[in-house]
Amino acid sequence: MYSGSEDGTVKIWDLKTPSAQRTLTCGSSVTCVALHPNQAELLVGLQNGSVRFYDLAENKSKEITPPLSTDIPIRSIAIRHDGKHAAIANNKGQVYIVKFSGEDTTTYDVLPKPINAHKSCYVLKVLYTPNGKTLVTCASDNSIKTWDVEKDYMPGPATLTGHTKWVWDCVVSKDSNLLITASSDATARLWDLAGGDCLKQYNGHRKAVSCVALSD
């Protein structure tokens, strides 16, 4: 297990023991952590706008260069199932795409321009669909957007609208056809990912729905 904290550290745990096996010092509050599919590296997003790679086997770290943004906090990181792409979202509505050349983070390229996914607002969650063909972004502008990975992250066919407050979280079905979102408007919604239609709204919470999980 891996945990990140506002104390500026990432801790590595063995679930069988209550004490951390290792502590990684990051130099800034940790906002998100993603495990690479190779199970040997972490991508860590920080409050100061930087992203670090941690090699768990070698116990070494490096910062993405050139820096993605200056003093704009990183909000969410997603890594595609094959480890070839990573999406890194910040508090200014931008998503940076990193493409890896091999099976680890040794060689990579950051696309020269970020996706201006949501105008001047927080991108609260980025997520690749299980088939790796679509990137989903949720934001504080109450919307959800999709991006076509196979077409250099061109915008998808529709912006998913209907939530009336911030959209905090999302999850995609195993077949990559359905999307569920969680919002501060106290609802969760089920969407047809390809067409952008809302198929069902789930009511019942009295306050914000901040997270969602799916068993399918």
Side-chain angles (χ1 to χ4, degrees):
M1 183 180 80
Y2 311 94
S3 61
S5 171
E6 291 182 359
D7 65 10
T9 67
V10 170
K11 291 185 180 290
I12 303 170
W13 308 81
D14 183 337
L15 294 178
K16 298 178 181 178
T17 61
S19 300
Q21 291 183 312
R22 201 186 316 170
T23 297
L24 309 174
T25 301
C26 303
S28 180
S29 295
V30 178
T31 56
C32 50
V33 176
L35 178 64
H36 193 282
N38 65 17
Q39 302 291 300
E41 295 175 284
L42 295 176
L43 272 68
V44 180
L46 303 176
Q47 183 72 18
N48 66 7
S50 63
V51 175
R52 300 194 69 84
F53 299 130
Y54 281 91
D55 186 320
L56 300 173
E58 299 292 332
N59 200 28
K60 296 179 180 179
S61 72
K62 62 183 178 182
E63 184 175 342
I64 283 186
T65 54
L68 301 185
S69 57
T70 303
D71 298 326
I72 302 172
I74 303 300
R75 173 64 62 169
S76 180
I77 296 176
I79 306 174
R80 204 168 74 165
H81 70 279
D82 60 2
K84 298 298 185 182
H85 294 193
I88 301 167
N90 66 20
N91 280 0
K92 199 176 180 181
Q94 300 169 319
V95 178
Y96 290 86
I97 302 300
V98 181
K99 294 186 176 182
F100 301 103
S101 301
E103 296 181 354
D104 56 26
T105 64
T106 302
T107 306
Y108 63 89
D109 291 305
V110 180
L111 296 192
K113 292 184 178 180
I115 302 169
N116 291 310
H118 299 263
K119 186 176 180 180
S120 300
C121 67
Y122 296 170
V123 179
L124 301 172
K125 180 69 176 283
V126 286
L127 179 69
Y128 284 100
T129 55
N131 63 14
K133 295 181 179 181
T134 303
L135 178 72
V136 181
T137 59
C138 302
S140 61
D141 63 1
N142 312 341
S143 74
I144 307 102
K145 294 184 179 182
T146 60
W147 310 88
D148 192 327
V149 175
E150 296 181 326
K151 294 182 179 179
D152 293 326
Y153 292 87
M154 291 292 292
T159 297
L160 284 59
T161 59
H163 283 299
T164 58
K165 294 185 177 179
W166 290 20
V167 184
W168 287 99
D169 196 14
C170 65
V171 63
V172 178
S173 60
K174 291 179 181 178
D175 62 9
S176 300
N177 291 328
L178 299 175
L179 173 74
I180 299 178
T181 54
S183 171
S184 286
D185 63 12
T187 71
R189 286 178 178 246
L190 175 68
W191 308 82
D192 170 44
L193 194 54
D197 297 321
C198 180
L199 305 177
K200 190 173 293 185
Q201 177 174 306
Y202 302 93
N203 304 302
H205 286 287
R206 292 177 294 174
K207 292 186 177 181
V209 182
S210 55
C211 52
V212 64
L214 174 65
S215 174
D216 68 334

